[in-house]
Amino acid sequence: MFGEIEGTGFEVLDPRFESCFVGHARVERLWTGGRWLEGPAWFAAGRYLVFSDIPNNRMMRYDDTSGQTSVFRSPSDNSNGNTVDNQGRLVTCEHLTRRVTRTDFDGGITVQADRVAGKRLNSPNDVAVKSDGTIWFTDPSYGILHDYEGDYGEEEIGGCHVYRYDPATGVTDRVASDFVKPNGLAFSPDETVLYIADTGGTHLPGGPRHIRKLAVSGDGKLSDLGIFAECTAGFFDGFRLDRKGRIWTSAGDGVHAYDPDGTLLGKIHIPEIVSNVAFGGEKRNRLFITATTSLYAVYLTANGSRPG
């Protein structure tokens, strides 16, 4: 498709946003045909992007070398969030099986976390891998509330929390328990801060619709640094950071870009509700955007802070 897609474009709210994109940059629609897309993750070695189509119980694969999109895995156990670990392997949150898995190089699937103290997780949602190899993930209850994105089920664990799995010990620890519906999460470039979205307002009237900021200690403990940003359109879902620490986050009207100081710099308007983003491309300067039924992308002057 040539030209500008209706409903897309850049909105500058702070002059600093102008340096994040070139004037002739345009949003591209790479594929459409999903039901609710999430979890984009870029694999540099193969130049492809994996993302989830949760209600359709499949994972899709966009091939950057050909521009073609095909089914990567079906069924996918209602996969949601995806990322890439430090060895280049796929790490996935699965609603149906209520677990976090790793896809090994031979295609085998290894369970990373599915229980805490003998009780099943709710429905792991989003995931991030730290440089030390630990896997951090959120566990709201969206996948067990009904049969649309998983199987209806009961909460066993007594709340919606944030966890840290250490593959060296095989232990999953709860690192935060004061969220209503913890959702997207990502580390700052130096990993001293963990940002976590809370979308509790989806089911709790007047509930949270913000991103919180938490300090990360050397032993993996978190301490609250307060609310980083309140969403001004819908809810924050998934997000990623660039090398300068700016947050690029999903919202109801597109992608919102925040400076590390909390200022909303601007927006990339998308004509569908955005769920997640991921940096990819040869120079990690292409922002891939999953939005309801479609996959979009736009080139920026910003570069993603880490793979996946």
Side-chain angles (χ1 to χ4, degrees):
M1 180 180 294
F2 298 96
E4 189 165 352
I5 300 171
E6 184 178 357
T8 67
F10 293 89
E11 180 182 354
V12 177
L13 300 175
D14 185 287
R16 290 173 289 179
F17 190 52
E18 295 177 351
S19 66
C20 294
F21 60 93
V22 293
H24 63 267
R26 294 291 182 269
V27 175
E28 304 168 85
R29 184 185 288 118
L30 303 177
W31 179 80
T32 191
R35 184 159 279 123
W36 176 252
L37 306 181
E38 293 223 35
W42 173 256
F43 291 82
R47 288 182 57 189
Y48 63 86
L49 184 89
V50 169
F51 57 99
S52 299
D53 185 1
I54 306 175
N56 283 328
N57 195 20
R58 62 182 181 174
M59 298 172 76
M60 308 301 293
R61 178 183 184 271
Y62 168 75
D63 187 338
D64 192 40
T65 67
S66 66
Q68 300 299 307
T69 299
S70 59
V71 175
F72 175 78
R73 179 182 295 161
S74 179
S76 66
D77 292 321
N78 297 110
S79 65
N80 188 338
N82 299 288
T83 194
V84 181
D85 73 6
N86 301 329
Q87 286 73 47
R89 297 169 297 190
L90 172 66
V91 179
T92 300
C93 293
E94 299 174 358
H95 281 184
L96 187 66
T97 53
R98 302 167 71 157
R99 65 187 187 179
V100 178
T101 64
R102 184 188 72 219
T103 300
D104 297 315
F105 295 127
D106 63 1
I109 295 176
T110 302
V111 177
Q112 303 297 276
D114 62 353
R115 297 174 184 270
V116 174
K119 297 180 179 180
R120 299 178 71 193
L121 297 168
N122 297 321
S123 54
N125 187 285
D126 202 4
V127 59
V129 178
K130 203 163 176 278
S131 61
D132 63 3
T134 53
I135 297 172
W136 302 60
F137 63 94
T138 56
D139 186 42
S141 55
Y142 293 120
I144 58 173
L145 293 176
H146 42 64
D147 293 324
Y148 186 63
E149 294 186 355
D151 279 350
Y152 172 80
E154 298 296 328
E155 274 191 25
E156 297 181 15
I157 213 156
C160 300
H161 310 307
V162 184
Y163 297 92
R164 172 185 179 270
Y165 169 73
D166 187 348
T169 63
V171 175
T172 301
D173 291 315
R174 187 173 69 188
V175 293
S177 58
D178 57 346
F179 286 78
V180 180
K181 289 283 190 291
N183 206 311
L185 78 169
F187 287 97
S188 62
D190 64 3
E191 298 184 335
T192 62
V193 173
L194 179 63
Y195 297 92
I196 305 174
D198 194 336
T199 51
T202 57
H203 289 77
L204 177 68
R209 53 179 68 217
H210 54 231
I211 292 174
R212 284 173 53 188
K213 185 177 180 180
L214 300 99
V216 184
S217 66
D219 59 359
K221 298 294 191 298
L222 300 178
S223 54
D224 189 29
L225 297 175
I227 294 173
F228 173 75
E230 294 278 359
C231 192
T232 58
F235 294 90
F236 297 131
D237 193 333
F239 54 91
R240 290 292 183 264
L241 279 77
D242 65 26
R243 291 175 184 169
K244 295 186 177 180
R246 290 172 296 217
I247 288 183
W248 300 79
T249 179
S250 60
D253 58 352
V255 177
H256 292 192
Y258 284 87
D259 190 79
D261 67 11
T263 302
L264 177 57
L265 300 174
K267 303 179 181 182
I268 306 172
H269 287 287
I270 301 293
E272 302 183 73
I273 296 173
V274 173
S275 61
N276 274 270
V277 302
F279 282 96
E282 183 180 357
K283 300 178 180 179
R284 216 183 297 160
N285 65 337
R286 194 180 193 191
L287 189 69
F288 290 94
I289 303 162
T290 51
T292 311
T293 67
S294 307
L295 174 67
Y296 298 84
V298 62
Y299 281 97
L300 302 171
T301 61
N303 305 83
S305 62
R306 59 158 291 129

PDB file of all heavy atoms in Angstrom, residues 34-64:
ATOM      1  N   GLY A  34      -6.412 -10.714  11.926  1.00  0.00           N
ATOM      2  CA  GLY A  34      -6.461 -11.292  13.262  1.00  0.00           C
ATOM      3  C   GLY A  34      -7.751 -10.925  13.976  1.00  0.00           C
ATOM      4  O   GLY A  34      -8.607 -10.219  13.434  1.00  0.00           O
ATOM      5  N   ARG A  35      -7.883 -11.396  15.200  1.00  0.00           N
ATOM      6  CA  ARG A  35      -9.045 -11.045  16.017  1.00  0.00           C
ATOM      7  C   ARG A  35      -8.632 -10.141  17.186  1.00  0.00           C
ATOM      8  O   ARG A  35      -9.287  -9.157  17.452  1.00  0.00           O
ATOM      9  CB  ARG A  35      -9.728 -12.321  16.524  1.00  0.00           C
ATOM     10  CG  ARG A  35     -10.995 -12.059  17.289  1.00  0.00           C
ATOM     11  CD  ARG A  35     -11.911 -13.274  17.347  1.00  0.00           C
ATOM     12  NE  ARG A  35     -12.689 -13.385  16.108  1.00  0.00           N
ATOM     13  CZ  ARG A  35     -12.678 -14.458  15.322  1.00  0.00           C
ATOM     14  NH1 ARG A  35     -11.934 -15.502  15.639  1.00  0.00           N
ATOM     15  NH2 ARG A  35     -13.419 -14.511  14.239  1.00  0.00           N
ATOM     16  N   TRP A  36      -7.545 -10.462  17.849  1.00  0.00           N
ATOM     17  CA  TRP A  36      -6.952  -9.567  18.851  1.00  0.00           C
ATOM     18  C   TRP A  36      -5.475  -9.944  18.943  1.00  0.00           C
ATOM     19  O   TRP A  36      -5.126 -10.993  19.466  1.00  0.00           O
ATOM     20  CB  TRP A  36      -7.626  -9.672  20.213  1.00  0.00           C
ATOM     21  CG  TRP A  36      -6.952  -8.812  21.251  1.00  0.00           C
ATOM     22  CD1 TRP A  36      -6.181  -9.224  22.294  1.00  0.00           C
ATOM     23  CD2 TRP A  36      -6.955  -7.371  21.317  1.00  0.00           C
ATOM     24  NE1 TRP A  36      -5.708  -8.149  23.009  1.00  0.00           N
ATOM     25  CE2 TRP A  36      -6.166  -6.995  22.434  1.00  0.00           C
ATOM     26  CE3 TRP A  36      -7.543  -6.367  20.539  1.00  0.00           C
ATOM     27  CZ2 TRP A  36      -5.955  -5.666  22.798  1.00  0.00           C
ATOM     28  CZ3 TRP A  36      -7.337  -5.043  20.904  1.00  0.00           C
ATOM     29  CH2 TRP A  36      -6.560  -4.701  22.017  1.00  0.00           C
ATOM     30  N   LEU A  37      -4.632  -9.066  18.391  1.00  0.00           N
ATOM     31  CA  LEU A  37      -3.207  -9.346  18.273  1.00  0.00           C
ATOM     32  C   LEU A  37      -2.434  -8.758  19.444  1.00  0.00           C
ATOM     33  O   LEU A  37      -2.735  -7.656  19.910  1.00  0.00           O
ATOM     34  CB  LEU A  37      -2.657  -8.767  16.970  1.00  0.00           C
ATOM     35  CG  LEU A  37      -3.357  -9.182  15.676  1.00  0.00           C
ATOM     36  CD1 LEU A  37      -2.673  -8.526  14.480  1.00  0.00           C
ATOM     37  CD2 LEU A  37      -3.372 -10.699  15.521  1.00  0.00           C
ATOM     38  N   GLU A  38      -1.416  -9.495  19.898  1.00  0.00           N
ATOM     39  CA  GLU A  38      -0.532  -9.019  20.963  1.00  0.00           C
ATOM     40  C   GLU A  38       0.855  -9.633  20.782  1.00  0.00           C
ATOM     41  O   GLU A  38       1.101 -10.433  19.878  1.00  0.00           O
ATOM     42  CB  GLU A  38      -1.084  -9.411  22.345  1.00  0.00           C
ATOM     43  CG  GLU A  38      -2.390  -8.725  22.721  1.00  0.00           C
ATOM     44  CD  GLU A  38      -2.391  -8.253  24.160  1.00  0.00           C
ATOM     45  OE1 GLU A  38      -1.328  -7.830  24.657  1.00  0.00           O
ATOM     46  OE2 GLU A  38      -3.466  -8.299  24.801  1.00  0.00           O
ATOM     47  N   GLY A  39       1.773  -9.262  21.677  1.00  0.00           N
ATOM     48  CA  GLY A  39       3.024  -9.966  21.852  1.00  0.00           C
ATOM     49  C   GLY A  39       4.013  -9.986  20.712  1.00  0.00           C
ATOM     50  O   GLY A  39       4.594 -11.038  20.443  1.00  0.00           O
ATOM     51  N   PRO A  40       4.286  -8.876  20.006  1.00  0.00           N
ATOM     52  CA  PRO A  40       5.298  -8.927  18.955  1.00  0.00           C
ATOM     53  C   PRO A  40       6.703  -9.107  19.532  1.00  0.00           C
ATOM     54  O   PRO A  40       7.055  -8.504  20.537  1.00  0.00           O
ATOM     55  CB  PRO A  40       5.161  -7.564  18.267  1.00  0.00           C
ATOM     56  CG  PRO A  40       4.650  -6.651  19.348  1.00  0.00           C
ATOM     57  CD  PRO A  40       3.730  -7.517  20.174  1.00  0.00           C
ATOM     58  N   ALA A  41       7.499  -9.964  18.892  1.00  0.00           N
ATOM     59  CA  ALA A  41       8.886 -10.202  19.312  1.00  0.00           C
ATOM     60  C   ALA A  41       9.733 -10.390  18.064  1.00  0.00           C
ATOM     61  O   ALA A  41       9.399 -11.203  17.192  1.00  0.00           O
ATOM     62  CB  ALA A  41       8.986 -11.421  20.219  1.00  0.00           C
ATOM     63  N   TRP A  42      10.833  -9.653  17.974  1.00  0.00           N
ATOM     64  CA  TRP A  42      11.683  -9.623  16.786  1.00  0.00           C
ATOM     65  C   TRP A  42      12.851 -10.586  16.933  1.00  0.00           C
ATOM     66  O   TRP A  42      13.554 -10.591  17.949  1.00  0.00           O
ATOM     67  CB  TRP A  42      12.196  -8.207  16.559  1.00  0.00           C
ATOM     68  CG  TRP A  42      13.208  -8.091  15.451  1.00  0.00           C
ATOM     69  CD1 TRP A  42      14.557  -7.948  15.584  1.00  0.00           C
ATOM     70  CD2 TRP A  42      12.945  -8.116  14.050  1.00  0.00           C
ATOM     71  NE1 TRP A  42      15.155  -7.885  14.347  1.00  0.00           N
ATOM     72  CE2 TRP A  42      14.198  -7.987  13.382  1.00  0.00           C
ATOM     73  CE3 TRP A  42      11.784  -8.247  13.281  1.00  0.00           C
ATOM     74  CZ2 TRP A  42      14.307  -7.973  11.995  1.00  0.00           C
ATOM     75  CZ3 TRP A  42      11.900  -8.220  11.890  1.00  0.00           C
ATOM     76  CH2 TRP A  42      13.138  -8.088  11.270  1.00  0.00           C
ATOM     77  N   PHE A  43      13.083 -11.392  15.886  1.00  0.00           N
ATOM     78  CA  PHE A  43      14.196 -12.337  15.844  1.00  0.00           C
ATOM     79  C   PHE A  43      15.165 -11.888  14.752  1.00  0.00           C
ATOM     80  O   PHE A  43      14.928 -12.101  13.557  1.00  0.00           O
ATOM     81  CB  PHE A  43      13.692 -13.758  15.596  1.00  0.00           C
ATOM     82  CG  PHE A  43      12.930 -14.297  16.764  1.00  0.00           C
ATOM     83  CD1 PHE A  43      11.588 -13.973  16.939  1.00  0.00           C
ATOM     84  CD2 PHE A  43      13.551 -15.087  17.711  1.00  0.00           C
ATOM     85  CE1 PHE A  43      10.887 -14.438  18.035  1.00  0.00           C
ATOM     86  CE2 PHE A  43      12.859 -15.557  18.816  1.00  0.00           C
ATOM     87  CZ  PHE A  43      11.521 -15.231  18.976  1.00  0.00           C
ATOM     88  N   ALA A  44      16.256 -11.267  15.190  1.00  0.00           N
ATOM     89  CA  ALA A  44      17.179 -10.624  14.260  1.00  0.00           C
ATOM     90  C   ALA A  44      17.852 -11.609  13.321  1.00  0.00           C
ATOM     91  O   ALA A  44      18.050 -11.314  12.134  1.00  0.00           O
ATOM     92  CB  ALA A  44      18.230  -9.830  15.040  1.00  0.00           C
ATOM     93  N   ALA A  45      18.208 -12.795  13.823  1.00  0.00           N
ATOM     94  CA  ALA A  45      18.947 -13.756  13.001  1.00  0.00           C
ATOM     95  C   ALA A  45      18.139 -14.200  11.790  1.00  0.00           C
ATOM     96  O   ALA A  45      18.702 -14.447  10.720  1.00  0.00           O
ATOM     97  CB  ALA A  45      19.354 -14.967  13.836  1.00  0.00           C
ATOM     98  N   GLY A  46      16.834 -14.297  11.935  1.00  0.00           N
ATOM     99  CA  GLY A  46      15.995 -14.733  10.829  1.00  0.00           C
ATOM    100  C   GLY A  46      15.230 -13.615  10.158  1.00  0.00           C
ATOM    101  O   GLY A  46      14.508 -13.857   9.194  1.00  0.00           O
ATOM    102  N   ARG A  47      15.374 -12.408  10.707  1.00  0.00           N
ATOM    103  CA  ARG A  47      14.660 -11.240  10.187  1.00  0.00           C
ATOM    104  C   ARG A  47      13.157 -11.492  10.108  1.00  0.00           C
ATOM    105  O   ARG A  47      12.515 -11.295   9.081  1.00  0.00           O
ATOM    106  CB  ARG A  47      15.212 -10.813   8.823  1.00  0.00           C
ATOM    107  CG  ARG A  47      16.590 -10.166   8.900  1.00  0.00           C
ATOM    108  CD  ARG A  47      17.083  -9.720   7.539  1.00  0.00           C
ATOM    109  NE  ARG A  47      16.145  -8.787   6.895  1.00  0.00           N
ATOM    110  CZ  ARG A  47      16.255  -8.376   5.623  1.00  0.00           C
ATOM    111  NH1 ARG A  47      17.242  -8.815   4.868  1.00  0.00           N
ATOM    112  NH2 ARG A  47      15.374  -7.529   5.124  1.00  0.00           N
ATOM    113  N   TYR A  48      12.603 -11.936  11.235  1.00  0.00           N
ATOM    114  CA  TYR A  48      11.159 -12.135  11.273  1.00  0.00           C
ATOM    115  C   TYR A  48      10.610 -11.719  12.634  1.00  0.00           C
ATOM    116  O   TYR A  48      11.342 -11.608  13.618  1.00  0.00           O
ATOM    117  CB  TYR A  48      10.780 -13.579  10.952  1.00  0.00           C
ATOM    118  CG  TYR A  48      11.284 -14.628  11.912  1.00  0.00           C
ATOM    119  CD1 TYR A  48      10.572 -14.962  13.067  1.00  0.00           C
ATOM    120  CD2 TYR A  48      12.467 -15.324  11.653  1.00  0.00           C
ATOM    121  CE1 TYR A  48      11.017 -15.943  13.938  1.00  0.00           C
ATOM    122  CE2 TYR A  48      12.929 -16.307  12.522  1.00  0.00           C
ATOM    123  CZ  TYR A  48      12.198 -16.613  13.661  1.00  0.00           C
ATOM    124  OH  TYR A  48      12.652 -17.581  14.529  1.00  0.00           O
ATOM    125  N   LEU A  49       9.313 -11.495  12.656  1.00  0.00           N
ATOM    126  CA  LEU A  49       8.589 -11.083  13.854  1.00  0.00           C
ATOM    127  C   LEU A  49       7.541 -12.130  14.172  1.00  0.00           C
ATOM    128  O   LEU A  49       6.792 -12.562  13.293  1.00  0.00           O
ATOM    129  CB  LEU A  49       7.916  -9.725  13.622  1.00  0.00           C
ATOM    130  CG  LEU A  49       7.185  -9.116  14.827  1.00  0.00           C
ATOM    131  CD1 LEU A  49       8.166  -8.272  15.647  1.00  0.00           C
ATOM    132  CD2 LEU A  49       6.009  -8.249  14.370  1.00  0.00           C
ATOM    133  N   VAL A  50       7.488 -12.558  15.420  1.00  0.00           N
ATOM    134  CA  VAL A  50       6.448 -13.470  15.893  1.00  0.00           C
ATOM    135  C   VAL A  50       5.455 -12.662  16.722  1.00  0.00           C
ATOM    136  O   VAL A  50       5.851 -11.793  17.504  1.00  0.00           O
ATOM    137  CB  VAL A  50       7.056 -14.608  16.734  1.00  0.00           C
ATOM    138  CG1 VAL A  50       5.968 -15.404  17.454  1.00  0.00           C
ATOM    139  CG2 VAL A  50       7.879 -15.544  15.852  1.00  0.00           C
ATOM    140  N   PHE A  51       4.163 -12.916  16.539  1.00  0.00           N
ATOM    141  CA  PHE A  51       3.158 -12.245  17.356  1.00  0.00           C
ATOM    142  C   PHE A  51       1.969 -13.173  17.551  1.00  0.00           C
ATOM    143  O   PHE A  51       1.805 -14.170  16.837  1.00  0.00           O
ATOM    144  CB  PHE A  51       2.735 -10.899  16.743  1.00  0.00           C
ATOM    145  CG  PHE A  51       2.202 -10.969  15.331  1.00  0.00           C
ATOM    146  CD1 PHE A  51       0.839 -10.970  15.083  1.00  0.00           C
ATOM    147  CD2 PHE A  51       3.072 -11.002  14.240  1.00  0.00           C
ATOM    148  CE1 PHE A  51       0.341 -11.015  13.786  1.00  0.00           C
ATOM    149  CE2 PHE A  51       2.589 -11.035  12.943  1.00  0.00           C
ATOM    150  CZ  PHE A  51       1.221 -11.050  12.709  1.00  0.00           C
ATOM    151  N   SER A  52       1.146 -12.860  18.549  1.00  0.00           N
ATOM    152  CA  SER A  52       0.037 -13.730  18.950  1.00  0.00           C
ATOM    153  C   SER A  52      -1.300 -13.202  18.445  1.00  0.00           C
ATOM    154  O   SER A  52      -1.538 -11.996  18.437  1.00  0.00           O
ATOM    155  CB  SER A  52      -0.028 -13.834  20.483  1.00  0.00           C
ATOM    156  OG  SER A  52       1.160 -14.382  21.017  1.00  0.00           O
ATOM    157  N   ASP A  53      -2.149 -14.113  18.027  1.00  0.00           N
ATOM    158  CA  ASP A  53      -3.553 -13.831  17.724  1.00  0.00           C
ATOM    159  C   ASP A  53      -4.343 -14.634  18.757  1.00  0.00           C
ATOM    160  O   ASP A  53      -4.718 -15.785  18.519  1.00  0.00           O
ATOM    161  CB  ASP A  53      -3.864 -14.255  16.293  1.00  0.00           C
ATOM    162  CG  ASP A  53      -5.274 -13.876  15.852  1.00  0.00           C
ATOM    163  OD1 ASP A  53      -6.008 -13.273  16.651  1.00  0.00           O
ATOM    164  OD2 ASP A  53      -5.637 -14.203  14.701  1.00  0.00           O
ATOM    165  N   ILE A  54      -4.577 -14.032  19.908  1.00  0.00           N
ATOM    166  CA  ILE A  54      -4.997 -14.784  21.095  1.00  0.00           C
ATOM    167  C   ILE A  54      -6.315 -15.536  20.906  1.00  0.00           C
ATOM    168  O   ILE A  54      -6.368 -16.751  21.089  1.00  0.00           O
ATOM    169  CB  ILE A  54      -5.062 -13.868  22.337  1.00  0.00           C
ATOM    170  CG1 ILE A  54      -3.739 -13.142  22.555  1.00  0.00           C
ATOM    171  CG2 ILE A  54      -5.406 -14.697  23.582  1.00  0.00           C
ATOM    172  CD1 ILE A  54      -3.771 -12.135  23.684  1.00  0.00           C
ATOM    173  N   PRO A  55      -7.436 -14.872  20.541  1.00  0.00           N
ATOM    174  CA  PRO A  55      -8.702 -15.621  20.448  1.00  0.00           C
ATOM    175  C   PRO A  55      -8.685 -16.693  19.368  1.00  0.00           C
ATOM    176  O   PRO A  55      -9.394 -17.695  19.481  1.00  0.00           O
ATOM    177  CB  PRO A  55      -9.728 -14.524  20.115  1.00  0.00           C
ATOM    178  CG  PRO A  55      -9.077 -13.239  20.524  1.00  0.00           C
ATOM    179  CD  PRO A  55      -7.623 -13.442  20.268  1.00  0.00           C
ATOM    180  N   ASN A  56      -7.873 -16.489  18.314  1.00  0.00           N
ATOM    181  CA  ASN A  56      -7.775 -17.490  17.252  1.00  0.00           C
ATOM    182  C   ASN A  56      -6.798 -18.608  17.581  1.00  0.00           C
ATOM    183  O   ASN A  56      -6.561 -19.501  16.752  1.00  0.00           O
ATOM    184  CB  ASN A  56      -7.375 -16.821  15.935  1.00  0.00           C
ATOM    185  CG  ASN A  56      -8.549 -16.101  15.287  1.00  0.00           C
ATOM    186  OD1 ASN A  56      -9.692 -16.521  15.419  1.00  0.00           O
ATOM    187  ND2 ASN A  56      -8.268 -15.008  14.593  1.00  0.00           N
ATOM    188  N   ASN A  57      -6.207 -18.540  18.783  1.00  0.00           N
ATOM    189  CA  ASN A  57      -5.347 -19.612  19.296  1.00  0.00           C
ATOM    190  C   ASN A  57      -4.219 -19.950  18.321  1.00  0.00           C
ATOM    191  O   ASN A  57      -3.979 -21.121  18.001  1.00  0.00           O
ATOM    192  CB  ASN A  57      -6.194 -20.858  19.599  1.00  0.00           C
ATOM    193  CG  ASN A  57      -5.451 -21.861  20.464  1.00  0.00           C
ATOM    194  OD1 ASN A  57      -4.473 -21.525  21.144  1.00  0.00           O
ATOM    195  ND2 ASN A  57      -5.909 -23.103  20.443  1.00  0.00           N
ATOM    196  N   ARG A  58      -3.516 -18.906  17.883  1.00  0.00           N
ATOM    197  CA  ARG A  58      -2.411 -19.114  16.961  1.00  0.00           C
ATOM    198  C   ARG A  58      -1.360 -18.023  17.127  1.00  0.00           C
ATOM    199  O   ARG A  58      -1.652 -16.941  17.637  1.00  0.00           O
ATOM    200  CB  ARG A  58      -2.903 -19.131  15.510  1.00  0.00           C
ATOM    201  CG  ARG A  58      -3.557 -17.812  15.066  1.00  0.00           C
ATOM    202  CD  ARG A  58      -4.067 -17.879  13.644  1.00  0.00           C
ATOM    203  NE  ARG A  58      -4.669 -16.596  13.250  1.00  0.00           N
ATOM    204  CZ  ARG A  58      -5.095 -16.309  12.016  1.00  0.00           C
ATOM    205  NH1 ARG A  58      -4.982 -17.225  11.056  1.00  0.00           N
ATOM    206  NH2 ARG A  58      -5.632 -15.139  11.745  1.00  0.00           N
ATOM    207  N   MET A  59      -0.148 -18.337  16.712  1.00  0.00           N
ATOM    208  CA  MET A  59       0.919 -17.362  16.640  1.00  0.00           C
ATOM    209  C   MET A  59       1.253 -17.158  15.163  1.00  0.00           C
ATOM    210  O   MET A  59       1.251 -18.109  14.375  1.00  0.00           O
ATOM    211  CB  MET A  59       2.154 -17.838  17.406  1.00  0.00           C
ATOM    212  CG  MET A  59       1.903 -18.024  18.888  1.00  0.00           C
ATOM    213  SD  MET A  59       3.288 -18.807  19.749  1.00  0.00           S
ATOM    214  CE  MET A  59       4.422 -17.433  19.849  1.00  0.00           C
ATOM    215  N   MET A  60       1.535 -15.919  14.806  1.00  0.00           N
ATOM    216  CA  MET A  60       1.815 -15.568  13.433  1.00  0.00           C
ATOM    217  C   MET A  60       3.287 -15.192  13.276  1.00  0.00           C
ATOM    218  O   MET A  60       3.952 -14.832  14.246  1.00  0.00           O
ATOM    219  CB  MET A  60       0.927 -14.407  12.981  1.00  0.00           C
ATOM    220  CG  MET A  60      -0.568 -14.616  13.221  1.00  0.00           C
ATOM    221  SD  MET A  60      -1.234 -16.082  12.389  1.00  0.00           S
ATOM    222  CE  MET A  60      -1.042 -15.574  10.668  1.00  0.00           C
ATOM    223  N   ARG A  61       3.767 -15.229  12.036  1.00  0.00           N
ATOM    224  CA  ARG A  61       5.165 -14.910  11.733  1.00  0.00           C
ATOM    225  C   ARG A  61       5.222 -13.993  10.521  1.00  0.00           C
ATOM    226  O   ARG A  61       4.798 -14.372   9.431  1.00  0.00           O
ATOM    227  CB  ARG A  61       5.948 -16.198  11.451  1.00  0.00           C
ATOM    228  CG  ARG A  61       7.411 -16.012  11.081  1.00  0.00           C
ATOM    229  CD  ARG A  61       8.005 -17.373  10.763  1.00  0.00           C
ATOM    230  NE  ARG A  61       9.444 -17.307  10.476  1.00  0.00           N
ATOM    231  CZ  ARG A  61       9.960 -17.102   9.270  1.00  0.00           C
ATOM    232  NH1 ARG A  61       9.146 -16.913   8.221  1.00  0.00           N
ATOM    233  NH2 ARG A  61      11.262 -17.100   9.093  1.00  0.00           N
ATOM    234  N   TYR A  62       5.724 -12.782  10.733  1.00  0.00           N
ATOM    235  CA  TYR A  62       5.930 -11.845   9.634  1.00  0.00           C
ATOM    236  C   TYR A  62       7.381 -11.945   9.182  1.00  0.00           C
ATOM    237  O   TYR A  62       8.302 -11.757   9.967  1.00  0.00           O
ATOM    238  CB  TYR A  62       5.616 -10.404  10.058  1.00  0.00           C
ATOM    239  CG  TYR A  62       6.081  -9.391   9.050  1.00  0.00           C
ATOM    240  CD1 TYR A  62       5.394  -9.203   7.859  1.00  0.00           C
ATOM    241  CD2 TYR A  62       7.239  -8.638   9.268  1.00  0.00           C
ATOM    242  CE1 TYR A  62       5.837  -8.290   6.910  1.00  0.00           C
ATOM    243  CE2 TYR A  62       7.694  -7.725   8.325  1.00  0.00           C
ATOM    244  CZ  TYR A  62       6.991  -7.555   7.148  1.00  0.00           C
ATOM    245  OH  TYR A  62       7.434  -6.663   6.207  1.00  0.00           O
ATOM    246  N   ASP A  63       7.598 -12.259   7.910  1.00  0.00           N
ATOM    247  CA  ASP A  63       8.924 -12.428   7.325  1.00  0.00           C
ATOM    248  C   ASP A  63       9.339 -11.113   6.662  1.00  0.00           C
ATOM    249  O   ASP A  63       8.763 -10.708   5.657  1.00  0.00           O
ATOM    250  CB  ASP A  63       8.900 -13.560   6.299  1.00  0.00           C
ATOM    251  CG  ASP A  63      10.282 -13.906   5.764  1.00  0.00           C
ATOM    252  OD1 ASP A  63      11.190 -13.057   5.840  1.00  0.00           O
ATOM    253  OD2 ASP A  63      10.449 -15.023   5.243  1.00  0.00           O
ATOM    254  N   ASP A  64      10.341 -10.463   7.241  1.00  0.00           N
ATOM    255  CA  ASP A  64      10.765  -9.168   6.726  1.00  0.00           C
ATOM    256  C   ASP A  64      11.498  -9.285   5.389  1.00  0.00           C
ATOM    257  O   ASP A  64      11.632  -8.309   4.664  1.00  0.00           O
ATOM    258  CB  ASP A  64      11.666  -8.470   7.753  1.00  0.00           C
ATOM    259  CG  ASP A  64      11.901  -7.005   7.428  1.00  0.00           C
ATOM    260  OD1 ASP A  64      10.942  -6.334   6.992  1.00  0.00           O
ATOM    261  OD2 ASP A  64      13.042  -6.535   7.596  1.00  0.00           O
TER     262      ASP A  64
END
